[in-house]
Amino acid sequence: MSESIFIKHAAQLVTVSGHTENPAKRDGMRELNCIEDGALLATDGKIIAVGTTEGIQTKYENEINQAKQINASGKVVSPGLIDPHTHLVHAGTRENEYAMRLKGKTYMDIMNQGGGIHATTRATQQADVDQLYQESKQRLDTFLVNGVTTVEAKSGYGLTTEHEIKQLEVSQHLNENHVMDIVSTFMGAHAVPVEEKANPDAFVDRVISEMIPEVAKRKLAQFNDVFCERGVFTPEQSRRILEAGKEFGLIPKIHADEIEPYGGAELAAAVGAVSADHLLKASDEGIRQMADQDVIGVLLPGTAFFLMAEFAQARKMIDQGLAVALSTDANPGSSPTLSLQFIMNLGCLKMGMTPEEVITATTINAAHAIGRANQIGSLEIGKQADITIFDVPNYLTLSYQYGMNHVDTVIKCGQVVVEDGNLQTRALKKVR
Ligand code: NIG
Ligand code: FE
């Protein structure tokens, strides 16, 4: 059944148009192409017109009469936010480690003593599919209420073929059933299992010879990620894993230079990764190589905030020509948040980004980081009608009033799934 939606009188309709071919860089990250008294018409889940209210009302009178009307006066309409880096599917929480860190233990100390990623791996291995599905579904609901309409989700808390596949299958089932779109990444190389610490290369061999072919055969992931960090996977091991994934059509991503400078940014450029994520300690040369090779920098300031670390140098990176996206890194250890709006605020206050740049970084550049820029990330004719309406008078207020959820309405594929800030029952099922 054809269903239309007409949004009118937006104080600002933030289109973020003009960057579908290539991610926005430098000054391009500050061009939001806002329309005042803006309007948008969508039919069958796709955007068919964007412009001023008056302009669209004159041209599409018939279509508008049949459409559901949404008055966005006094509000900001933007592309649905996109979170390009999450560890969505996992079991449990780690508030005990948070308390330990507050007393002075480091993230890596805890991991090296068998906690951290290993603790969540044990919980996730023990959890059955139903538990993982329910926990992750709750997180998706919260993401949606907070204005996010697409998330990337990584495996990496299974660390055996069986349990990595279990995690990815949960993502796949959620993608089939929940209105949220989920883009899956295989991350078998998230940690060397405790019992294999003595021989990490044997584990790397298994990721390459067993896990990657099985994940690819079952079509469970589009991307392949690795935690390249001292004490986890070396740049050489990371390179082998990412190159092996390429043979099976998995596009490389990399957790790079999070805790120490370790050549992760350089490796991302060398293997042609779509993105390198974290980059807190990336070298200037690594950033230059990434910019040259059009690798996107996915920055995760929630992680720096939560680990009480130095923030990535977003200002410098953008000025050097790197396309930057922002993400929550949602996970139970280093960034237990589901609020991309808070991340936008951190982008401005802690990394020197402008309010315009943080919007570009959570819409079109985030879409590029997960290979979806043709479908989502901007309000342009032909794109999926994924739209967030914020109850703020202008987009500056989004990153100015912090620590709160400004979302009024969320539209996913042309369907209202959050209204007056509340999740609608239709949000629980995909209707496409
Ligand atoms: O991106 N650094 C590696 N992985 C995650 C943390 C995962 C965890 O602590 O459970 C990250 O920070
Ligand atoms: Fe991560």
Side-chain angles (χ1 to χ4, degrees):
M1 194 185 73
S2 126
E3 201 178 296
S4 297
I5 200 155
F6 179 54
I7 304 171
K8 60 187 174 187
H9 296 310
Q12 291 176 325
L13 189 117
V14 180
T15 67
V16 206
S17 61
H19 297 288
T20 295
E21 287 301 307
N22 295 299
K25 292 182 179 172
R26 299 185 193 270
D27 295 352
M29 283 193 70
R30 296 190 282 279
E31 286 161 11
L32 296 180
N33 294 324
C34 276
I35 303 170
E36 289 186 10
D37 194 6
L40 181 148
L41 182 62
T43 299
D44 290 335
K46 291 264 164 57
I47 298 171
I48 61 167
V50 180
T52 60
T53 305
E54 206 190 337
I56 297 199
Q57 269 171 343
T58 319
K59 201 163 161 204
Y60 293 93
E61 212 185 317
N62 283 345
E63 290 87 341
I64 288 171
N65 284 340
Q66 330 248 321
K68 177 181 168 71
Q69 314 267 320
I70 296 179
N71 190 338
S73 98
K75 299 183 179 133
V76 167
V77 175
S78 92
L81 303 180
I82 298 167
D83 195 330
H85 178 142
T86 85
H87 301 260
L88 175 80
V89 179
H90 62 266
T93 52
R94 307 215 301 266
E95 59 274 30
N96 56 328
E97 294 180 3
Y98 167 62
M100 284 157 77
R101 285 197 303 102
L102 292 175
K103 287 189 183 148
K105 278 230 179 203
T106 69
Y107 177 80
M108 287 311 267
D109 283 346
I110 294 169
M111 177 165 168
N112 290 332
Q113 286 159 14
I117 294 171
H118 303 299
T120 302
T121 299
R122 285 189 291 277
T124 304
Q125 287 185 345
Q126 280 160 22
D128 63 20
V129 167
D130 207 44
Q131 180 193 337
L132 280 177
Y133 185 94
Q134 290 307 330
E135 279 197 37
S136 310
K137 182 191 154 297
Q138 290 284 339
R139 293 179 194 118
L140 285 181
D141 290 350
T142 306
F143 267 124
L144 206 60
V145 169
N146 282 272
V148 173
T149 48
T150 300
V151 299
E152 182 257 21
K154 301 174 196 298
S155 66
Y157 293 121
L159 305 188
T160 65
T161 307
E162 178 196 346
H163 291 289
E164 284 292 306
I165 285 183
K166 177 176 78 174
Q167 253 191 293
L168 289 169
E169 283 182 344
V170 169
S171 289
Q172 187 184 49
H173 291 152
L174 284 164
N175 185 45
E176 284 161 5
N177 296 320
H178 199 280
V179 284
M180 185 78 77
D181 283 322
I182 302 163
V183 176
S184 287
T185 296
F186 166 66
M187 197 177 179
H190 196 193
V192 179
V194 181
E195 39 314 337
E196 300 190 60
K197 223 36 214 170
N199 192 1
D201 279 324
F203 178 71
V204 171
D205 288 345
R206 212 163 53 256
V207 170
I208 291 172
S209 64
E210 201 179 298
M211 295 190 202
I212 288 176
E214 196 57 33
V215 166
K217 191 175 103 193
R218 296 176 187 232
K219 298 191 181 359
L220 284 172
Q222 196 178 337
F223 299 97
N224 181 26
D225 198 342
V226 45
F227 187 11
C228 178
E229 193 72 41
R230 190 179 303 284
V232 192
F233 295 96
T234 65
E236 193 38 44
Q237 290 167 334
S238 304
R239 178 195 298 270
R240 285 184 58 213
I241 291 164
L242 295 176
E243 291 292 353
K246 277 159 71 174
E247 304 277 308
F248 286 87
L250 298 176
I251 301 163
K253 279 182 170 281
I254 175 166
H255 278 61
D257 306 311
E258 177 180 351
I259 318 273
E260 283 185 36
Y262 200 42
E266 290 83 344
L267 177 62
V271 299
V274 63
S275 73
D277 304 25
H278 283 293
L279 304 174
L280 272 57
K281 299 290 163 69
S283 72
D284 286 350
E285 175 57 20
I287 297 302
R288 196 188 59 70
Q289 291 179 16
M290 280 176 59
D292 279 357
Q293 296 300 315
D294 289 328
V295 182
I296 297 170
V298 177
L299 305 183
L300 315 161
T303 309
F305 172 75
F306 195 69
L307 295 185
M308 297 172 279
E310 267 175 50
F311 286 77
Q313 299 193 41
R315 179 75 272 132
K316 197 163 144 189
M317 292 175 186
I318 294 171
D319 293 343
Q320 284 177 358
L322 192 73
V324 164
L326 287 174
S327 159
T328 58
D329 193 18
N331 75 74
S334 70
S335 191
T337 183
L338 302 168
S339 173
L340 202 49
Q341 288 170 73
F342 179 53
I343 300 302
M344 292 161 96
N345 170 261
L346 289 177
C348 291
L349 287 176
K350 294 292 186 182
M351 300 199 301
M353 294 172 76
T354 69
E356 294 79 14
E357 287 168 345
V358 299
I359 292 175
T360 300
T362 49
T363 55
I364 193 66
N365 278 10
H368 278 287
I370 54 170
R372 290 283 171 105
N374 280 330
Q375 295 112 287
I376 52 174
S378 60
L379 301 180
E380 292 180 272
I381 292 170
K383 284 207 177 177
Q384 201 164 291
D386 288 7
I387 300 160
T388 299
I389 304 180
F390 295 99
D391 191 5
V392 290
N394 53 58
Y395 68 76
L396 289 177
T397 305
L398 256 187
S399 53
Y400 154 70
Q401 291 180 337
Y402 74 96
M404 37 205 288
N405 182 11
H406 295 291
V407 169
D408 177 84
T409 302
V410 179
I411 296 160
K412 179 69 189 170
C413 281
Q415 274 233 319
V416 176
V417 290
V418 173
E419 203 164 4
D420 284 333
N422 296 313
L423 197 66
Q424 304 299 293
T425 47
R426 68 175 77 89
L428 309 178
K429 224 166 63 226
K430 261 211 176 65
V431 283
R432 281 165 275 157

